[in-house]
Amino acid sequence: MDNNIVFNEVTKKLPKHLHQFIVKQPYNEYTAQNQAVWRYVMRLNLDYLSKVAHESYISGLKKTGISVDVIPKMEGMNRILKNIGWAAVSVDGFIPPNAFMEFQAYNVLVIASDIRTINHIAYTPAPDIIHEAAGHAPIIANPEYAEYLRRFGEIGSKAISSSKDYEIYEAIRLLSILKEDPNSSDEIIESALQKVEALQNSMGELSEMAQIRNLHWWTVEYGLIGEINNPKIYGAGLLSSIGESKLCLTDKVKKIPYSIAAATQNFDITKQQPQLFVTPDFAHLSFVLEEFANKMALRKGGLKGVKKLIESSNIGTIELSTGIQISGVFNNVIDDDNNNPVYIQTTGPTALATRDREIIGHGTEYHAEGFGSPIGKLKGINLAIEDMFPKDLEVYGIYEGKKTILHFEGNVKVEGEVITGKRDLKGKIILISFKNCTVTHNNNYLFKPEWGIYDMAVGKEIVSAYAGPASASSFQNLGKVSEEKTHKIKYSEKELNLHKMYAEIALMRTENIYIDRINLLFEKLINEYPNDWLLPLEMFELTFNLDANLNTKIYNYLLQLKDNEHFTDLIENGLKLILRNN
C-alpha cells in the first residue's frame, strides 16, 4: 500500500489486512481523453437517469461530491462522504469477494482506480471509477440502502468460499483486465474467456460465497426497484452503463420479482444481462438478505458448517455453544451416527478467541501446529461441562491437579491431568488444559502425551461456522493480493498528441475560446484521427453560437462519422444532449 495514502475517521477503523488492497489513486495518469470520457458518460447519465433512476441518485451525486465534469479525487469524495458516515478507497480492479464485502462492512466504498477506455465507453466488464464512483456512491446517500450495503458486507464477508472460488475470481479478474486493454490480442482474450467458462461449468454446487455474490450482483450491481412493469434503476452496473441503462427497461430484458431465488442465478460479466430482478423497495432487500443469512453456516453451525470450512481450504472459524471461537484451516471432522460432529481438527497456525478477541496465550504461535478438540456431552451425564458449577466439576473429577478420564458421547476419550481452565466473564468454563494427556476416538490416537500440553475447547455443539478469523489480529497474512495487475496502457506518440488536443479543448471550456485554434485542431483531427468521434463532439459544443461556419462544418463531419455503426448511437446521443442544452 502507498504510504502517502491519508486515512480518515472511517478508514482508520479498517483492519490492517485490508490495507494491502488499497492503492494511491493515479490521478495524474488520467489523460485528457479519460476526462472527456468521464464527462460524456456523466452528462448523458445525468440527462437520462434523472427520469429513470431511483430518486436517491440525482440528490446522491451532490451529497457524495461527484462532479459531472471531472473525474473525482478520493480526497475530495471522502471529505463529503464522511458526512454520511462513509468513506472511499482506491483499489486495483477486482479484489477478492471476502475483502470487498469486508470493506463494505466498515462503511468503506471500494473504487477501482482505472477508467474505461473510449472503446468501451458504453460498457466495460472491468470495474472502473465511472462504475464505482458514479454508480455506487450516489445511492448510499439513501440511509436505508446504505445500511443494507453495510449489513450485506458484514454478512457477506463471513460467507464460506469453495476451493474453486478464488480460482474463478482470478480468471474473471484477468479476463476483465485483458478486455479493457486495447493492446490485448483477440487470441489471448478468447483463451481467458474459455478458461472462465470452463471454470463456471465445473463449479458444482454453489458455495455460500458464490450465492451471496449472486445476490450482490442482482441487487447492488444490477438491481431494479419499484413496480415490476415500471421499475427504476438503482444498481451501479446499470447506472454506469449508457447502453445497458436503456436496454434494461425495455421488454428485451425479462423482469423478475426479487427473492432468495436470485442466489442461484449465475451471471456473465462479459455480456448484457438477459434478465433482472426487481425489488419493491429497499426494505425488501434486507428481508431477503436475512432470509439467506438464516441458511448460512454462520447461523446454522453444525457438521455441515465444518465441512464447508474443510472444503474451502481457507482460514475459517467455528464457534461453540460456550462462545469460544477456533480459527484456522480446518482439515478434519469426526461425526457420529446421527451426523453430529464429535471432534474437530485444524492444521497449521490456529488461534482461540472469545467475543472476537484472541484469548491471551492462545494465538497462532502457541497453536502453530494446529488444534483439535472434542465436541458434545459426556456419556451418561445429562449436564454438559459448560453448564457445570465448580461443585459439579469437582464431583466429576474436573479440577486442577486431578487425573481424570472424560468419556464423550461420540466415543472420544480424553485422559490426563488437569492443569487449569479458562472461564468467560460470566464464569462459564470455555477451555481446559491437560498434561500427560492422551486423546483417542475408538482405537485411533488424536493426541499423545509427548506432543505437550493438550488444550480442550469446551462446548456441546457448534453454533456457528464462517469464513475468516474471529480476531483479525490473530493472523498476519490474511487475504491475497492478485499478482496480475491492471495493465497500464502504453500510448503511442500519436495518441499522446491526440490527448494534448483534448486537453487544449478542455482548457478552452474554462478560459478563453480561440476559434482559429479550434479550426486548426479540427483540420488536424480530420487528417490524422479519422476514427475519433468524442473530440469533434467537444469542439461542436464549444463553437455553438460562436462561429456558425465552423460549427456547421463540425456538425456535418459528425454526421459522416455516424455512418460507422460503432459510433452511431454515441454520436447521436451526444448531439441530442448538446442541441437540447443550447
Side-chain angles (χ1 to χ4, degrees), residues 292-362:
F292 181 81
N294 286 336
K295 298 176 181 292
M296 291 173 63
L298 173 67
R299 295 183 181 175
K300 289 283 191 179
L303 179 65
K304 285 185 178 180
V306 185
K307 285 186 173 180
K308 285 180 180 180
L309 288 177
I310 292 172
E311 203 270 332
S312 76
S313 303
N314 289 310
I315 293 172
T317 297
I318 65 167
E319 182 174 325
L320 305 187
S321 46
T322 55
I324 190 169
Q325 298 159 314
I326 303 160
S327 300
V329 177
F330 288 82
N331 69 328
N332 187 34
V333 60
I334 301 172
D335 58 299
D336 61 17
D337 294 336
N338 295 316
N339 292 323
N340 294 312
V342 298
Y343 198 86
I344 55 90
Q345 286 178 297
T346 66
T347 181
T350 304
L352 307 184
T354 181
R355 294 190 177 189
D356 299 338
R357 297 186 66 178
E358 187 179 292
I359 298 173
I360 295 173
H362 289 276

Side-chain angles (χ1 to χ4, degrees), residues 241-458:
S241 172
I242 301 168
E244 208 153 7
S245 62
K246 291 185 177 180
L247 178 69
C248 75
L249 298 179
T250 69
D251 293 337
K252 293 180 180 179
V253 176
K254 184 179 179 181
K255 314 298 189 301
I256 306 169
Y258 180 63
S259 70
I260 197 170
T264 56
Q265 179 64 58
N266 290 331
F267 57 88
D268 185 344
I269 68 161
T270 66
K271 299 175 182 176
Q272 293 181 324
Q273 308 309 310
Q275 78 284 305
L276 295 173
F277 292 85
V278 184
T279 182
D281 48 44
F282 288 141
H284 184 66
L285 297 180
S286 296
F287 173 81
V288 172
L289 177 61
E290 291 300 318
E291 186 181 2
F292 181 81
N294 286 336
K295 298 176 181 292
M296 291 173 63
L298 173 67
R299 295 183 181 175
K300 289 283 191 179
L303 179 65
K304 285 185 178 180
V306 185
K307 285 186 173 180
K308 285 180 180 180
L309 288 177
I310 292 172
E311 203 270 332
S312 76
S313 303
N314 289 310
I315 293 172
T317 297
I318 65 167
E319 182 174 325
L320 305 187
S321 46
T322 55
I324 190 169
Q325 298 159 314
I326 303 160
S327 300
V329 177
F330 288 82
N331 69 328
N332 187 34
V333 60
I334 301 172
D335 58 299
D336 61 17
D337 294 336
N338 295 316
N339 292 323
N340 294 312
V342 298
Y343 198 86
I344 55 90
Q345 286 178 297
T346 66
T347 181
T350 304
L352 307 184
T354 181
R355 294 190 177 189
D356 299 338
R357 297 186 66 178
E358 187 179 292
I359 298 173
I360 295 173
H362 289 276
T364 55
E365 290 186 5
Y366 180 70
H367 296 291
E369 302 300 320
F371 181 85
S373 181
I375 309 292
K377 295 167 66 176
L378 298 174
K379 278 186 179 178
I381 302 174
N382 288 328
L383 194 64
I385 294 176
E386 64 197 74
D387 298 322
M388 293 180 180
F389 291 107
K391 283 193 175 182
D392 299 315
L393 291 168
E394 188 175 345
V395 168
Y396 293 111
I398 308 172
Y399 57 89
E400 285 84 348
K402 175 71 175 177
K403 289 184 177 180
T404 189
I405 300 177
L406 303 178
H407 288 272
F408 286 85
E409 290 179 337
N411 292 327
V412 175
K413 183 172 72 173
V414 178
E415 183 176 1
E417 182 179 334
V418 177
I419 301 173
T420 187
K422 286 190 180 292
R423 299 176 183 273
D424 65 12
L425 290 173
K426 294 181 179 179
K428 181 176 286 190
I429 190 161
I430 59 174
L431 188 70
I432 302 172
S433 298
F434 301 83
K435 65 180 180 181
N436 301 320
C437 187
T438 300
V439 182
T440 57
H441 175 253
N442 297 328
N443 296 319
N444 298 318
Y445 282 94
L446 300 174
F447 194 88
K448 296 179 179 180
E450 58 265 32
W451 295 353
I453 303 299
Y454 181 70
D455 298 291
M456 185 185 81
V458 177

Side-chain angles (χ1 to χ4, degrees), residues 518-532:
I518 296 175
N519 207 356
L520 287 173
L521 292 175
F522 180 60
E523 292 299 325
K524 183 176 181 181
L525 182 77
I526 294 173
N527 294 323
E528 298 182 23
Y529 305 96
N531 290 321
D532 189 280

Side-chain angles (χ1 to χ4, degrees), residues 475-488:
F475 294 83
Q476 298 300 313
N477 297 312
L478 278 179
K480 180 183 177 183
V481 178
S482 177
E483 294 180 3
E484 183 69 41
K485 304 303 179 186
T486 300
H487 297 176
K488 297 300 180 186

